Amino acid sequence: MSRALRILLAATVLFGGTAALSAAETAPLTRGTAIIDPDLLRRLDEGDALTISRLVSPERKAGGALTTDRLFASLPQLKDIPPAIDAEFDRYIARQKAAWPTETIGVGEGFDVQLFDRANLNSPDTRFVLAGIVNRMDRAYVGEESCGEIRLIYRLARFDGGKTATRLPMTFNLVMKARDARQADADGRPITCAEIARRWLANGNWQELIGGRDDAMLDRIETNIQISVAAKSALHDFRSDYLLKVFKYDAATKTFAEAVLENQIDRDRIMADDALRREFKDWLLEPEHLRAFDRGTVLIPEKFLARSAVVPTPAGLDASALQPEFGMMQAEGEGKGEPVFTDNDVVGALKRAAARGDMQNIRSVAGFQRRLNDVTCAGCHQTRGIGGFHFPGVDWLADKPSNSTIVPASPHFLGDQPRRRDILTAFAGSKRPDFSRGFASRPQTRGSRELAGSEYQDGWGAHCFLQDAGPGTRDASFTSWSCANGLTCQAAAASRRIGMCFIKTR
């Protein structure tokens, strides 16, 4: 194992939460909401029906999964992805050289900042393997007609002589609509959201779960690459950066085109433009938008969003420039102009929004700030993630996949499964689902107690509120974040509000 990988493994265990659980132990949480069984994923990957090439080009003849040199070269639907990623790498390298001119940057262990090798995206020895299938009908508020999304998550792997395989730090998520309005059952009746939800909850045949496989089902591709790893030095702490990109499917051109990331606030552009700063503040603090922001269902207009995000990890619990919203709130920043939101702005807006109904999560300036971070792609990936990933998938390429000690997903992902299942249950019963969600740091159980006492809710390693942190620190946004019996909330950073649950010590 390389030194960089050993560093990454240590950081994964330290900042991603407990990582010693097996895939079998986490499976009950994902029952009905995701496919994570390593043996099933192996069988599905060995077939042809769920290869990336077959899904983005349904008319393509069977031929198995394509290696990356053939995947991007032979499929015109994907032609815009490699150059867009190359451009992001070039911009990233230029920024790194400007910020740390004395550090070297390149591919290999001889550099201070070690880059992901882009040659892996054009190689006869690498391909994307199916790492998991995730039901996201909890996102039906984005497009009710499509009943939400189904995500097929692929992990890049390098095969040496066809005998051994090494997983590489990149995921390729093919996001499909959960339903095509043209779909019909065997009797010619339209497939409803209720029927799709019932199939998932019953753990039905995977062919039924995925639905139709034609380009009408395609929505977008999301890529996540560990773009660099840098060891601790005199200039900075250990850091690993992850590049997030999204490519939206254009049915007219039949290609995936570079697009903005949902709710990924373009902080630097907003802060540099007075008019845009005022417009963003007015839009977000409008009562109905603020209430959607509180519930985690807000859809921020594209004019305020970025086309890429670099996610530094670990970011820690304290406010810092590593977090996507840093500098937008009062008392933050580095003297680079006025903040977007003052404390008075937020307090006044919360009162106006609360007058129209309950606020579920944001009840303070600190709660607003936390949501401003975790509503973004970057901020969410920094919160209780495994490095910069929320779903790296079970390593079924291992010799004994059933005994794998690598969890399929992050504490944030697993802690959110009861909420997602509640939404599927509502769909299955033809009821209107409650799409709201809590903070990424703390799952919203909505009556389910299956998380009680676990690292996801209030067990060892869970995020909690420091009840006795001192006068003036009590915060209504977080007071319910407690620890299970036998544990105590202890400060994990300089923050006087949020800590972690640990065993009580004398």
Side-chain angles (χ1 to χ4, degrees):
M1 181 185 291
S2 71
R3 178 169 175 265
L5 287 177
R6 287 196 298 271
I7 292 171
L8 177 58
L9 178 59
T12 294
V13 174
L14 181 60
F15 296 100
T18 303
L21 297 175
S22 69
E25 289 174 298
T26 59
L29 282 175
T30 61
R31 188 175 303 279
T33 57
I35 297 174
I36 64 168
D37 178 73
D39 292 327
L40 176 56
L41 290 170
R42 180 193 291 274
R43 293 197 300 272
L44 293 177
D45 184 79
E46 290 172 349
D48 184 72
L50 296 184
T51 62
I52 295 172
S53 52
R54 191 65 180 274
L55 290 168
V56 303
S57 182
E59 70 282 358
R60 180 178 173 272
K61 294 181 180 179
L66 298 178
T67 53
T68 56
D69 59 329
R70 297 172 58 207
L71 182 72
F72 294 109
S74 64
L75 294 177
Q77 294 91 337
L78 307 180
K79 66 181 179 64
D80 292 334
I81 294 179
I85 290 176
D86 280 340
E88 294 293 350
F89 266 76
D90 293 342
R91 285 190 285 269
Y92 177 82
I93 293 169
R95 289 195 301 268
Q96 287 293 112
K97 288 181 175 179
W100 313 107
T102 61
E103 289 197 332
T104 58
I105 182 170
V107 176
E109 293 193 10
F111 295 92
D112 298 316
V113 179
Q114 299 172 28
L115 287 173
F116 175 86
D117 189 354
R118 282 178 278 177
N120 288 315
L121 294 178
N122 185 28
S123 170
D125 299 319
T126 60
R127 71 174 178 87
F128 290 100
V129 301
L130 185 64
I133 304 174
V134 180
N135 180 297
R136 292 306 308 269
M137 291 180 71
D138 62 293
R139 285 180 45 78
Y141 64 87
V142 177
E144 294 191 16
E145 181 67 19
S146 63
C147 305
E149 306 163 354
I150 306 298
R151 298 185 180 184
L152 290 94
I153 303 176
Y154 300 85
R155 181 71 180 261
L156 186 62
R158 180 171 54 242
F159 292 81
D160 300 320
K163 297 181 180 179
T164 61
T166 303
R167 298 208 308 174
L168 301 175
M170 176 180 180
T171 56
F172 182 109
N173 300 349
L174 182 58
V175 182
M176 305 183 70
K177 299 170 185 175
R179 179 185 74 161
D180 176 2
R182 302 172 304 176
Q183 282 181 265
D185 61 18
D187 297 323
R189 294 171 299 192
I191 300 293
T192 64
C193 298
E195 175 60 25
I196 295 172
R198 284 193 288 267
R199 290 173 181 177
W200 276 86
L201 291 171
N203 290 293
N205 183 288
W206 70 265
Q207 293 176 310
E208 289 187 329
L209 300 185
I210 307 306
R213 286 174 294 283
D214 57 48
D215 65 356
M217 300 290 288
L218 299 175
D219 186 78
R220 64 189 184 279
I221 286 169
E222 302 170 340
T223 60
N224 185 359
I225 303 172
Q226 185 192 58
I227 193 171
S228 75
V229 176
K232 181 179 175 63
S233 72
L235 298 175
H236 53 74
D237 291 331
F238 165 84
R239 177 167 163 173
S240 182
D241 286 352
Y242 295 79
L243 171 67
L244 307 182
K245 292 286 291 178
V246 169
F247 302 87
K248 189 77 172 174
Y249 186 67
D250 185 333
T253 63
K254 294 187 178 296
T255 59
F256 289 89
E258 191 176 8
V260 298
L261 282 69
E262 183 179 294
N263 290 346
Q264 181 62 41
I265 302 164
D266 194 334
R267 177 187 64 185
D268 293 341
R269 185 164 56 86
I270 291 172
M271 295 292 289
D273 186 325
D274 288 340
L276 194 63
R277 181 194 295 126
R278 289 191 297 272
E279 188 178 359
F280 178 57
K281 179 178 73 172
D282 291 344
W283 186 90
L284 188 56
L285 296 186
E286 192 276 328
E288 286 308 307
H289 297 155
L290 186 57
R291 284 168 55 77
F293 183 66
D294 168 66
R295 283 159 171 73
T297 58
V298 71
L299 295 173
I300 298 172
E302 290 191 6
K303 68 173 75 174
F304 304 120
L305 305 180
R307 286 181 172 264
S308 67
V310 172
V311 186
T313 60
L317 297 178
D318 291 328
S320 75
L322 298 180
Q323 296 169 334
E325 67 77 28
F326 189 74
M328 302 185 86
M329 299 293 298
Q330 185 177 332
E332 286 184 340
E334 303 163 328
K336 295 183 179 179
E338 293 296 317
V340 179
F341 306 99
T342 68
D343 289 358
N344 287 337
D345 289 335
V346 175
V347 170
L350 289 177
K351 288 180 179 178
R352 291 190 295 273
R356 302 191 181 192
D358 249 356
M359 297 291 282
Q360 295 183 357
N361 301 291
I362 304 171
R363 297 185 174 93
S364 63
V365 173
F368 179 90
Q369 177 187 358
R370 183 166 289 264
R371 180 64 97 196
L372 198 59
N373 265 318
D374 76 21
V375 78
T376 66
C377 297
C380 184
H381 277 254
Q382 287 175 330
T383 306
R384 308 213 74 198
I386 302 176
F389 296 105
H390 275 311
F391 193 97
V394 176
D395 187 6
W396 57 259
L397 294 168
D399 290 336
K400 297 180 179 180
S402 61
N403 295 325
S404 175
T405 56
I406 299 176
V407 292
S410 72
H412 168 66
F413 174 93
L414 293 170
D416 196 41
Q417 296 310 301
R419 181 190 71 90
R420 298 183 189 181
R421 195 181 309 117
D422 284 347
I423 291 173
L424 286 183
T425 302
F427 267 124
S430 299
K431 299 177 182 178
R432 176 69 181 177
D434 176 3
F435 293 111
S436 63
R437 62 180 175 87
F439 293 109
S441 301
R442 189 79 174 187
Q444 182 185 51
T445 59
R446 307 245 291 266
S448 171
R449 301 311 303 161
E450 62 186 296
L451 298 177
S454 72
E455 62 169 308
Y456 314 118
Q457 183 66 24
D458 50 12
W460 191 93
H463 287 193
C464 54
F465 176 68
L466 296 165
Q467 304 283 351
D468 56 353
T473 60
R474 189 168 181 81
D475 195 301
S477 294
F478 315 117
T479 50
S480 64
W481 296 14
S482 59
C483 296
N485 290 336
L487 302 178
T488 182
C489 190
Q490 301 179 26
S495 170
R496 299 180 65 192
R497 288 188 175 89
I498 306 301
M500 299 183 74
C501 296
F502 295 114
I503 297 174
K504 291 181 179 179
T505 57
R506 293 182 178 179

